[in-house]
Structure formats: structure tokens, C-alpha cells
Amino acid sequence: MKKTILIVDDNPANLYVLKSLLESEGMKVITAENGQTALDEAHAFPPDLIISDILMPVMDGYTLCRQWKSDERLKGIPFIFYTATYTESKDEKFALSLGADRFLVKPQEPEALISMLSEFLSDKYVGKSAQLKPLGEEMEFFRTHNEILFSKLEKKMSDLQIANEQLKIMEERYRLSFENVSDVIYIIEANLNILSMSPSAEKLLGYSVKDFIGRSVMDLKVIFTPESFERAVANSMIILKGKELLGEVYEFVAKDGTIKIGEVSGSPIMRDGQVTGFVSIARDITDRRRIEDELRHSEEKYRMLFDNADEAILVIQNSMMIYVNPAVIALTEYPEDILLSRPFTDFIYHKDRSVVSENYQKRIAGEDAPLRYTFRVETKSGKVKWVEIHVSLIEWQGRPASLNFLNDITERKNTQDALRENEDKYRGILEDMNDMYYELDLKGNMTFFNKALLTLTGRSPSEMQGKNFRDYMSPKSSEYALQIFGKIYKTGKPKMFVNEIFTKNGEIKYFESQAGLLLDKNNQPVGFRGIARDITDRRKMEDALRQSEEKYRTILEQMNDGYFEVDLAGNYTFVTEVSARLLEYSTDELIGKNSLSFMTKETVPLVQKAFANIYKSGKPERNIVFEALHKSGATGIGEITGFPIKNEKGDIVGFRGVARDITDRKKTQDERDTLLSRLRKALGAIIQ
């Protein structure tokens, strides 16, 4: 038969926890919130054990114990104090003097508490009973009882006062947080009326709090897009059924008409088991959504670039390939599912596997290893190809991985090998070349050069051999050349560059050079080699052309008439100050704008027709008259002479034109025509 235990405590949480624990042990539990209720319950249904707190309203635990142990029906039932407030030795001594069977201080471990209670629930245990005491001792009880209770009540009051002060501080913090929080916090009543709204709503949507308070959610269609409003109402009904909603995204319409993206979470407000409304938090995620969209577009863009790149790109993690682009499939001749199911080293030529594997393990371990080197791969058809790999360390889903770029250098490798084998054979050819050929060691010292280089510089072989190539350059050119050769060394790729050199007589010569690494038989860089061409005359022509362009640009800027250039859509690509001034704009305000937007609607078709004729015929059109819209709102009369702009292939890619303001001329002509008409009428009248 189940043992019945009476628990007395004015704290519902304590009652719930202790009741749950005892019921889980198979006991029947009765609860009471004060001593008087406990006595009434015990008289009606005597328990097998009572566990009581001390400080309670109506009747405290000490008084309950005293009356319990004086009651003939109840005094044999074990009485246990279980308190977190009365923890001093004098409290325990007083409790035991009243006849209590045990005095326990909260909290107790569940196993220990159940073990102690089992002792008192045993059929062999007989509860203690209190003896009737003389009047003097009764008075001492009341004195001690009151002293203990008052001391605890004073502490309770002190704690309550401190708690109230802390509550005021917390309320003030809550108020400040509510008023200054960047998120919008609002409370909706069960009838869907808005009860409160944080001031941050004005920052987000431009509406004041007064525009929301007291209004129904159904009146707020204006701040939602139609689809979002329907979902917001439906979700409000779900919350009012007691469910939470997290991370719902709506489109809001601000007061100025802009669209804001908001992420809203809502929780029901419960009172006495009933939903009386709900509280929601709305966060502006417009920028975050924009960034997410940009990131997604960026990812799509880079995935498209990776998938369509000529360079083989793969990601390796734990020696396995976890991503390959189509170029890797083309290089190895294996399908994607095979590549992603086997270690990367399986596709490497057997003689190079150990070196590649060792380099990969060193990089993952954080040790020094080359990030660019060459090795061979074996294709599905059995071909052996040379590849150059460029390795970058990355993190993939929180774990180290490597991003690898592979270039098929088989042809280049074969060419280099053939070049090395036939180097002596072709040195004679290099000597007789019109273009300059040179070789440098890694420090930039001349180790080989042909006659063309000597001819350009006007120096003898002894004046060049072993000398540093930068000795014959200006400081600026020397620094630039040093940077170029540094990049060649780091990337291993040849570079094209233009630089200047001083001849023996002090003349400046410009040369265009393509330089690359000079490798030994083990493919290790030992220097640089390059071919150069004298472009001094071409450079002078380019300088002259640039000066000519600047001269004609100056002429255009100083013309009384305006000059402009537009693309095929009519957008300005170049405008002179005069042309912009005719419309009362600056050049920056016109570049990129459509030229037709600065004309009246009546004259736009005439201008479009004229430029269509230019596009069809390829010939200029003159005296194209239009009405111009000035920045001030006024209108003027303009006249354009239009010409086609052609590319190197002869295709028309835009238009250029000369525009002039003929407003005064048009006005004068109109006045003259009017006067002439009047004279004709007068003359006709006279003749008549």
C-alpha cells in the first residue's frame, strides 16, 4: 500500500519539486500552503509522514509542530522540518524541543533525502511525542518562538526591501532597454489590439508609436506587403493558440515607401493557463538579407567561374578530393564520382606520389612546404602529364583543407626539355637575332647576351659580362624591373614589361621584354632569360599621339560649341564643359545619363530618327534641331551635327556630335518671319 506524505510549504515551486520527487518513488502526496490547512488535511486524512517548512502565513511550522505533537491522533506521526531559511543550530534545537523527529536543511540530494525518509516510513518507527509543559516553560516557548520568527521576519523584510530596490533597478533598466533597443518590441492583446510598441519602430518604419497603440492588427495593412500581411495575421492566430513562432520573415513598407525586411519572433503571454496576448520582437534584417543575396550571387558567380575555368581546380581534405571542376575531369579523364571516391595520390604518377603526399601532410601540420611545384599525373588512358600545382590553405566546414590549382604544363615541359637539349644548337641563332636576347643569374647579373643587346647599348662584351642589368637603368626603372623579376620568380610564369635603359653615350632607349625563369635539369630556377625589342621609335610615336590627343581635347574644351559622345543607347560617355554648360549641368552629372532625357518629348522622335539614319547610312546628319530641357526647368533650342563612332572593324559603336545653342538665333528668325509676314499682309492690303 502506498505511503501518504503531507508536504507543507507556501512556495509553489518547492511544493512541485518535492511532490514530483516523492511521487516518482511511488508515494502518495498531499500538499498544504500553511500550518492551519495542514492540520485540517491531517484530521481528515491522517498521513504517514509530514514534511513542513517553518516560515509560512496563517500558521508557521513551529506552531504546527507544537499542535501536531499535542494532538492525540497525530502525535505518533513522524514530523520532519525541511527548511532553507532556518539553518542555525538554535533553530534546530528549538524544533527538536517541540517534538520534531528530524530537522533537515534544504537542499538535500534526492537519493539522500529518500533514504532518510525511508527510515521514518518504516513500520517499526514510532514518532516522538511532546510532553505537556508547565506554564513557565510555555511562556518560554512563546518567547523563543517569537524571537526566532521575528528575527527571520526582519531578515525577510530586509531581503524584500533589497529585492524591491533591485526590482526598481531592473525595471528602470528594462524601461531604458525597451526605449533604446534597436529591435522593435511590441505586445498584442488577444483581441489583436496593439498594447505597447517600442520607440525603435519609428527608426525602422518612420511611424510614431502613437500610430500603433490601441489600433487593431487588421488596420496595419499599410505597413505590410499584401502577402506578408496575410501571413502575419495567420501567424498571430497561431501564437494566440499557445505556440511560439521563431524567425518569421516579412516585408514591411516604411512611411517613405521603402521596403524593409524584418525577422519576427513571437511568444504567447499566459495568465492562469489562458493566452491573454503575445509579445513579439522584430529585427531589421534588410542589410543582412542584402548581404546574403550578394553573398549568394557571389557564390554563384564564383562557382560558375570555377566550373568554367580552363584551370583545373580541386579541394582536398584528409587526402580526399571533395570538390573538382570539369577541368580536373578533362585532365585526368576520370568521371567525377571516381575522383571523389579515391585519395588524390591515386591519380599521381607512382614515382611522384611520395613527394606530393609528404608536401600535403607538412602543410596540414603547419610545417614549411612548397606551395608551388610540379609533378606528374597518370590519366585513365595511361598517359603521363606534367602539371604545375599552386596550393592555398583554407578551412572547409571548420576543418583544414587545401585549395589547389593545376595547370597542364606537359607541352611547356616538353618544350623546356627540348630547349635545354638543343641550347647549344640555337645559341648561334640567338646571336644573329635582330631582337635582343639575354640571360641573368638570380641576382640579376648578365651571364649571356647576343649582339643585338650590345648594339642597342653601344657597349662591348667586357662592359656587359657579369654586370648587373640594373646598373644601366634609372632608379625608378631599376625598382620596377626588380619587382617584375620578383614576380616571375614567385609565380614561375613569364611576364611582359616595358622599361628603359641608358646607352653608353647617355641616350635613353625603351625596350619591350618578355622574361621567364631559367631552369636547370631538375626544374629548379637558376636565373632568368628574356627577349627584348627596341621600341624607342614606337614610344616616341605614342608620346606624340598622346600629346596630339591632349591638344585636340584642349581645342574641344575651348570651342564655343559643345562636343559630346554617346553609346548606341544614347548614354553620355564623354561631354565637354561647354556642352554640359548649355544644359546647366556639370560633366559628372551627365556622364552615364541618357541624352534623350534632356530633350522635350516632342523633339525626341526627330532626334531618334536622325541618329537612326546615321546608324543605317554611316554618314553624318546636320542641322538636327531639338528643344533642350535645362536644369533650371527652362527650355532652349539646340542644333546638333551627328557623326558615327566606329571601332577597328568598322562597326558603329556609338555617336559623336557638335551641339550649339541656337535659342537666340531661332528667336531672331521667328521675329523676322513674323515681321515679314506682317509686311506682306500690309503690302497686300495696300495693293488691294
Side-chain angles (χ1 to χ4, degrees):
M1 184 175 179
K2 288 185 178 181
K3 296 289 185 178
T4 302
I5 298 178
L6 174 60
I7 305 173
V8 190
D9 200 319
D10 63 335
N11 189 321
N14 293 341
L15 283 175
Y16 175 78
V17 172
L18 190 53
K19 180 182 178 183
S20 300
L21 174 63
L22 297 177
E23 287 180 341
S24 68
E25 296 293 328
M27 302 176 190
K28 181 180 179 181
V29 178
I30 303 172
T31 61
E33 297 179 352
N34 57 68
Q36 185 60 57
T37 305
L39 282 175
D40 295 340
E41 291 283 351
H43 285 142
F45 304 99
D48 296 300
L49 175 70
I50 180 171
I51 303 173
S52 177
D53 195 10
I54 295 177
L55 189 60
M56 296 179 293
V58 183
M59 180 185 291
D60 62 87
Y62 285 145
T63 305
L64 172 62
C65 181
R66 184 168 178 274
Q67 294 193 23
W68 188 279
K69 291 299 182 178
S70 302
D71 192 303
E72 289 297 327
R73 294 180 59 193
L74 304 177
K75 64 182 181 180
I77 299 173
F79 193 106
I80 297 175
F81 280 110
Y82 193 37
T83 179
T85 306
Y86 295 81
T87 58
E88 300 178 14
S89 58
K90 66 177 183 179
D91 301 329
E92 180 179 3
K93 183 178 179 182
F94 183 67
L96 296 176
S97 71
L98 298 176
D101 296 84
R102 191 69 180 267
F103 188 91
L104 299 177
V105 176
K106 297 177 183 177
Q108 296 284 336
E109 291 293 332
E111 295 82 359
L113 180 60
I114 295 300
S115 177
M116 286 185 283
L117 295 181
S118 300
E119 174 189 348
F120 298 103
L121 292 172
S122 172
D123 294 335
K124 297 179 181 180
Y125 183 81
V126 179
K128 293 170 60 178
S129 60
Q131 300 294 327
L132 189 60
K133 297 182 180 180
L135 180 60
E137 293 187 17
E138 286 291 309
M139 296 301 293
E140 179 62 22
F141 160 76
F142 286 116
R143 187 189 66 77
T144 306
H145 173 263
N146 291 338
E147 179 184 332
I148 292 174
L149 284 183
F150 284 141
S151 66
K152 295 302 178 182
L153 284 172
E154 287 177 356
K155 186 176 186 306
K156 282 280 187 180
M157 293 297 292
S158 176
D159 293 344
L160 183 60
Q161 184 176 1
I162 293 173
N164 286 334
E165 291 295 331
Q166 292 177 342
L167 182 60
K168 289 180 180 178
I169 294 172
M170 291 178 64
E171 287 177 348
E172 179 63 16
R173 288 177 180 173
Y174 170 77
R175 184 186 64 79
L176 292 174
S177 299
F178 184 78
E179 291 179 354
N180 295 283
V181 68
S182 58
D183 294 343
V184 179
I185 304 173
Y186 57 94
I187 297 176
I188 307 293
E189 295 179 301
N191 60 4
L192 293 182
N193 286 337
I194 300 174
L195 181 62
S196 67
M197 179 78 66
S198 63
S200 50
E202 186 168 357
K203 297 178 183 177
L204 177 62
L205 299 175
Y207 294 96
S208 67
V209 174
K210 295 179 181 179
D211 295 329
F212 296 100
I213 301 300
R215 297 185 63 182
S216 171
V217 170
M218 305 303 293
D219 296 335
L220 301 182
K221 287 185 178 181
V222 67
I223 69 169
F224 287 94
T225 60
E227 188 273 336
S228 291
F229 179 73
E230 291 180 5
R231 285 195 299 111
V233 173
N235 288 336
S236 298
M237 304 310 296
I238 292 174
I239 300 174
L240 290 175
K241 291 179 181 179
K243 296 182 179 180
E244 288 190 2
L245 286 179
L246 301 175
E248 288 291 322
V249 177
Y250 304 113
E251 288 186 341
F252 293 92
V253 181
K255 194 171 184 178
D256 60 4
T258 59
I259 300 297
K260 299 282 188 177
I261 308 298
E263 184 180 67
V264 181
S265 299
S267 300
I269 300 174
M270 308 292 295
R271 287 197 182 94
D272 300 327
Q274 298 294 322
V275 178
T276 61
F278 63 88
V279 59
S280 288
I281 299 176
R283 175 167 296 174
D284 183 6
I285 63 168
T286 306
D287 292 337
R288 189 185 82 187
R289 178 59 65 89
R290 175 181 56 77
I291 293 171
E292 289 173 351
D293 291 341
E294 290 176 354
L295 180 60
R296 183 171 61 256
H297 294 154
S298 176
E299 289 175 350
E300 292 173 354
K301 177 179 70 175
Y302 284 111
R303 176 169 289 277
M304 181 189 69
L305 292 175
F306 277 23
D307 288 346
N308 293 281
D310 294 330
E311 195 172 24
I313 304 172
L314 60 147
V315 178
I316 301 175
Q317 190 175 65
N318 294 332
S319 301
M320 300 291 291
M321 288 182 283
I322 58 177
Y323 168 79
V324 295
N325 72 340
V328 178
I329 298 172
L331 175 68
T332 62
E333 302 174 1
Y334 285 98
E336 182 179 5
D337 57 340
I338 298 297
L339 292 170
L340 298 180
S341 64
R342 291 164 55 186
F344 172 59
T345 50
D346 284 1
F347 305 96
I348 299 175
Y349 188 59
H350 64 278
K351 292 184 179 181
D352 296 342
R353 288 178 184 173
S354 59
V355 174
V356 176
S357 179
E358 182 181 353
N359 285 340
Y360 176 77
Q361 296 300 331
K362 282 183 177 181
R363 281 192 300 273
I364 296 301
E367 301 177 15
D368 290 336
L371 296 177
R372 183 184 294 276
Y373 57 96
T374 60
F375 59 88
R376 288 163 288 186
V377 296
E378 190 169 358
T379 68
K380 186 178 180 180
S381 62
K383 296 179 182 178
V384 176
K385 295 182 179 180
W386 278 96
V387 296
E388 180 182 62
I389 189 170
H390 183 204
V391 184
S392 297
L393 298 180
I394 62 172
E395 276 198 7
W396 189 281
Q397 297 180 347
R399 293 183 296 165
S402 64
L403 176 63
N404 306 271
F405 298 85
L406 295 178
N407 284 312
D408 184 354
I409 61 168
T410 305
E411 293 185 7
R412 191 178 81 190
K413 183 73 173 177
N414 293 337
T415 301
Q416 290 175 347
D417 292 342
L419 182 62
R420 280 194 298 270
E421 292 173 1
N422 297 283
E423 189 172 356
D424 292 337
K425 173 183 176 182
Y426 290 105
R427 277 189 180 270
I429 298 175
L430 294 175
E431 286 289 351
D432 297 328
M433 284 173 53
N434 291 325
D435 290 340
M436 295 169 282
Y437 177 82
Y438 59 90
E439 293 179 3
L440 313 172
D441 61 20
L442 292 176
K443 294 181 179 179
N445 299 319
M446 293 279 188
T447 57
F448 177 80
F449 42 83
N450 65 355
K451 294 178 182 178
L453 182 62
L454 296 175
T455 302
L456 173 72
T457 61
R459 291 183 172 87
S460 64
S462 60
E463 292 175 312
M464 297 290 288
Q465 187 68 35
K467 300 296 191 298
N468 196 286
F469 76 100
R470 293 192 296 146
D471 293 344
Y472 309 111
M473 297 180 179
S474 66
K476 182 178 179 181
S477 296
S478 174
E479 184 64 27
Y480 175 65
L482 186 62
Q483 293 176 4
I484 293 295
F485 282 102
K487 291 180 180 178
I488 295 173
Y489 183 80
K490 289 180 180 178
T491 63
K493 295 182 179 180
K495 296 283 185 182
M496 179 77 75
F497 63 97
V498 176
N499 219 323
E500 61 183 27
I501 192 169
F502 290 106
T503 65
K504 187 174 182 178
N505 61 11
E507 184 182 359
I508 296 177
K509 293 281 188 179
Y510 294 94
F511 65 90
E512 182 180 67
S513 178
Q514 179 166 351
L517 282 176
L518 184 63
L519 305 175
D520 61 13
K521 293 181 179 180
N522 296 320
N523 287 320
Q524 296 301 313
V526 294
F528 307 93
R529 58 156 57 101
I531 296 176
R533 177 170 297 173
D534 184 3
I535 61 166
T536 305
D537 293 339
R538 189 183 80 187
R539 185 63 177 265
K540 290 179 179 179
M541 291 175 62
E542 290 173 351
D543 291 341
L545 179 61
R546 185 170 57 255
Q547 291 173 4
S548 175
E549 288 178 349
E550 291 175 356
K551 179 179 69 175
Y552 285 110
R553 180 178 289 272
T554 302
I555 293 172
L556 288 176
E557 291 292 349
Q558 294 178 354
M559 286 172 53
N560 291 327
D561 293 339
Y563 176 81
F564 64 90
E565 294 179 1
V566 296
D567 58 20
L568 291 176
N571 299 317
Y572 284 114
T573 58
F574 175 77
V575 184
T576 62
E577 292 286 349
V578 175
S579 186
R581 197 161 52 244
L582 291 175
L583 296 174
E584 301 177 356
Y585 288 92
S586 67
T587 56
D588 291 339
E589 290 177 308
L590 293 181
I591 295 298
K593 302 294 190 306
N594 195 281
S595 59
L596 298 177
S597 63
F598 301 97
M599 302 178 187
T600 61
K601 294 181 179 179
E602 292 77 14
T603 56
V604 165
L606 300 175
V607 176
Q608 288 178 322
K609 181 179 180 181
F611 277 90
N613 292 336
I614 297 174
Y615 184 80
K616 291 177 182 178
S617 66
K619 297 179 180 180
E621 283 276 331
R622 304 182 185 279
N623 302 325
I624 305 170
V625 178
F626 67 97
E627 282 187 311
L629 295 174
H630 296 170
K631 187 175 183 179
S632 62
T635 59
I637 307 300
E639 184 181 73
I640 297 174
T641 298
F643 304 87
I645 298 177
K646 299 181 180 180
N647 60 15
E648 296 176 354
K649 298 179 181 180
D651 298 327
I652 296 176
V653 295
F655 305 97
R656 60 166 56 94
V658 177
R660 61 176 58 89
D661 187 355
I662 63 169
T663 305
D664 293 338
R665 191 182 77 187
K666 183 68 174 176
K667 182 178 178 182
T668 301
Q669 183 177 348
D670 290 344
E671 290 175 352
R672 185 184 62 190
D673 292 343
T674 301
L675 180 59
L676 183 59
S677 176
R678 290 177 180 174
L679 290 174
R680 284 175 177 168
K681 289 180 180 180
L683 182 59
I686 292 171
I687 294 173
Q688 185 65 35

